[in-house]
Amino acid sequence: MLEPLLGKISFKENRRRYLNLKGILSRKYAYKGPDIVQIDLTDKCNSHCNVCWLHSPCVDKDPGRQFDELDYNILKDFIEEIAFSGTKEIIFSGGGEPFLYSRIWGVLEHAQKTGLDFRLNTNLTLLDKDGIKRLVSLKNLVSLTASIWAGSAQEYCGVHNRSVQDFDKVRGNLKDLNALKHRRLEIKLYAVISNVNHRALKSVVDLALKNGCRIVEFGIFDAIPGATDRFLLTGGQLGALQKDFKDLLKHANTVRIANAGIFLRRISNPLACYGEYDTGQGRIPCYAGWLFLRLRANGDFNSCLKSHRMPLGNIYRDKFHDIWNGFKQQEFRRKGCSSIRDWAYFGLMGNAHNDRGCRIMCDNILLNQNIHKFMRYMFSQSDAEREVCPVK
């Protein structure tokens, strides 16, 4: 049974898995680059979404602030470097809208030339038909996530502080994308849920179906204490959301709800009304230090999506290979795979200034769960599992 299975996996893929495993078992060193790199091209955005950690009207900020943007030439060199290191794919996302980056087409086309697959998260307001045609011509673009958060114009205006005309444009762009996309490209509708749009689940799915999307994902927002926590759901609202979501899953035959189990577990957490969704997930080892890296618009490198208060270094003064196996990253790996999570360290993750850290929300949780299942399979009932994978 094993030989046919292995025959379907390329030598390159087997080598990637072997080197990842070798690194995890070393507990600190990486023998290849990260599988996935998220690049925040810019912090500029043309929306002011209610629950955004950066652009929400509820977040205090300097009115004259100049938002960061990565240097184009340095970024091109970095993309070539990670491609050579063994990276599989790039995610262009972050604190701003990628299509506000001044050299967005140059970056996307450069990523295409390196042979790396890439994904793109966008609010879809800045594209026109010519831009859509240019975008779908990039065959290594494998996923586009349309961050819409609503299924009707009223809901859309309420969560994004935008106009009905913007909603109509987004709908048209969705339809055009699905009509023109190449075979590898998935178009996913994404909705972050708060107390403003918690009854919008069905309308989001309806919008997806009407415009040709077959994948929808729901997420719960990560509150900033003293700012966006006013949008937290009450116990009653969470109960209604759970019921709506379970009903949706029963009847969602023509659309796939991505990561449904994670969303349902989070909104069912007893502490969800206080903004804590991943209680107990700290018992699962963190593997992000071997498989993931984030480059922010200010040039900072981060070990995971929530470690912005713990930068590894900065692209304008540090080389990628120096930080990837440097002291800070090795410390992150070592503490992450420990059987006892160091909450004085991991409490710094995320937006809340308390010791809850990534128990509030871990944005790399799907990656961690998948790798943990593999590790348990490889080392079930062995000393290696108890040491590297402490969860039974």
Side-chain angles (χ1 to χ4, degrees):
M1 292 293 292
L2 188 59
E3 289 182 4
L5 179 63
L6 290 175
K8 295 180 181 179
I9 302 175
S10 68
F11 172 80
K12 183 178 181 181
E13 177 64 12
N14 272 317
R15 182 176 183 274
R16 181 188 70 82
R17 295 183 184 187
Y18 165 73
L19 292 177
N20 281 339
L21 178 59
K22 183 180 179 181
I24 291 168
L25 292 178
S26 80
R27 300 176 64 81
K28 64 177 184 178
Y29 192 79
Y31 294 90
K32 53 173 283 301
D35 285 351
I36 302 168
V37 176
Q38 176 172 308
I39 297 176
D40 299 9
L41 293 171
T42 181
D43 281 340
K44 299 174 186 176
C45 195
N46 59 339
S47 285
H48 301 280
C49 310
N50 286 336
V51 299
C52 178
W53 58 274
L54 186 57
H55 296 283
S56 169
C58 305
V59 175
D60 291 333
K61 44 189 173 289
D62 181 355
R65 176 179 175 179
Q66 297 295 311
F67 288 103
D68 295 308
E69 178 173 298
L70 287 168
D71 179 90
Y72 176 64
N73 291 316
I74 289 176
L75 181 56
K76 282 178 63 179
D77 291 342
F78 174 69
I79 291 173
E80 291 178 7
E81 195 170 7
I82 59 173
F84 182 77
S85 77
T87 293
K88 284 185 66 178
E89 69 178 40
I90 298 172
I91 301 171
F92 293 109
S93 184
E97 166 54 41
F99 284 98
L100 279 175
Y101 183 65
S102 58
R103 304 290 295 273
I104 179 63
W105 293 110
V107 168
L108 296 180
E109 288 163 359
H110 186 70
Q112 174 75 28
K113 288 178 184 177
T114 65
L116 287 172
D117 286 343
F118 56 96
R119 301 173 185 270
L120 182 63
N121 294 349
T122 172
N123 62 31
L124 217 57
T125 61
L126 297 174
L127 285 168
D128 54 21
K129 285 200 173 184
D130 289 338
I132 288 172
K133 289 177 183 177
R134 188 173 182 181
L135 191 62
V136 299
S137 71
L138 301 171
K139 302 305 180 185
N140 281 32
L141 174 63
V142 295
S143 174
L144 184 144
T145 296
S147 189
I148 297 179
W149 303 13
S152 70
Q154 182 180 2
E155 293 163 351
Y156 180 84
C157 297
V159 295
H160 294 298
N161 297 298
R162 298 187 68 96
S163 69
V164 173
Q165 290 74 22
D166 290 327
F167 179 71
D168 291 338
K169 182 175 184 180
V170 166
R171 284 194 304 174
N173 283 342
L174 267 180
K175 190 168 290 186
D176 289 343
L177 272 167
N178 281 296
L180 298 172
K181 71 183 184 72
H182 56 77
R183 187 168 54 87
R184 294 185 70 206
L185 176 57
E186 290 185 339
I187 310 295
K188 179 174 70 175
L189 215 58
Y190 184 58
V192 175
I193 302 300
S194 68
N195 62 18
V196 177
N197 62 343
H198 71 286
R199 302 310 300 265
L201 302 187
K202 187 178 183 300
S203 67
V204 171
V205 171
D206 289 343
L207 177 70
L209 292 172
K210 287 176 183 176
N211 293 281
C213 295
R214 292 295 178 265
I215 308 173
V216 174
E217 182 177 356
F218 296 102
I220 191 78
F221 88 102
D222 186 8
I224 300 174
T228 60
D229 51 1
R230 69 191 69 182
F231 299 108
L232 288 170
L233 280 76
T234 65
Q237 290 170 335
L238 285 163
L241 179 61
Q242 292 164 32
K243 182 181 183 302
D244 288 350
F245 190 65
K246 290 174 182 177
D247 290 343
L248 191 68
L249 291 177
K250 291 177 185 176
H251 301 100
N253 298 321
T254 53
V255 65
R256 177 165 67 88
I257 309 297
N259 302 329
I262 292 175
F263 180 70
L264 182 59
R265 177 185 56 71
R266 282 175 167 168
I267 63 176
S268 303
N269 190 316
L271 296 176
C273 58
Y274 301 104
E276 182 168 328
Y277 311 105
D278 284 340
T279 308
Q281 295 306 303
R283 294 195 301 268
I284 297 177
C286 179
Y287 305 100
W290 287 275
L291 307 172
F292 180 87
L293 187 70
R294 180 182 186 182
L295 174 61
R296 295 185 60 204
N298 65 358
D300 279 353
F301 290 108
N302 294 146
S303 302
C304 72
L305 282 165
K306 291 296 187 185
S307 62
H308 51 273
R309 287 190 280 163
M310 302 168 60
L312 301 168
N314 190 284
I315 198 169
Y316 298 116
R317 63 173 183 269
D318 302 303
K319 295 184 181 301
F320 159 66
H321 285 288
D322 291 339
I323 66 99
W324 182 237
N325 272 309
F327 171 78
K328 289 185 178 180
Q329 185 71 344
Q330 290 196 22
E331 181 183 34
F332 180 84
R333 293 172 184 144
R334 188 170 57 250
K335 288 182 179 293
C337 67
S338 172
S339 57
I340 300 176
R341 190 63 62 90
D342 181 354
W343 289 111
Y345 179 85
F346 285 99
L348 293 171
M349 303 297 169
N351 298 313
H353 290 263
N354 56 34
D355 65 350
R356 304 307 291 168
C358 38
R359 286 175 290 195
I360 292 176
M361 183 180 290
C362 171
D363 284 347
N364 293 92
I365 195 165
L366 185 63
L367 177 150
N368 280 332
Q369 288 180 344
N370 289 338
I371 297 299
H372 192 56
K373 287 177 183 177
F374 172 74
M375 295 296 290
R376 285 174 62 100
Y377 172 78
M378 292 291 291
F379 302 104
S380 180
Q381 305 302 317
S382 70
D383 290 338
E385 184 188 27
R386 284 190 288 274
E387 178 65 14
V388 182
C389 307
V391 179
K392 290 293 194 274

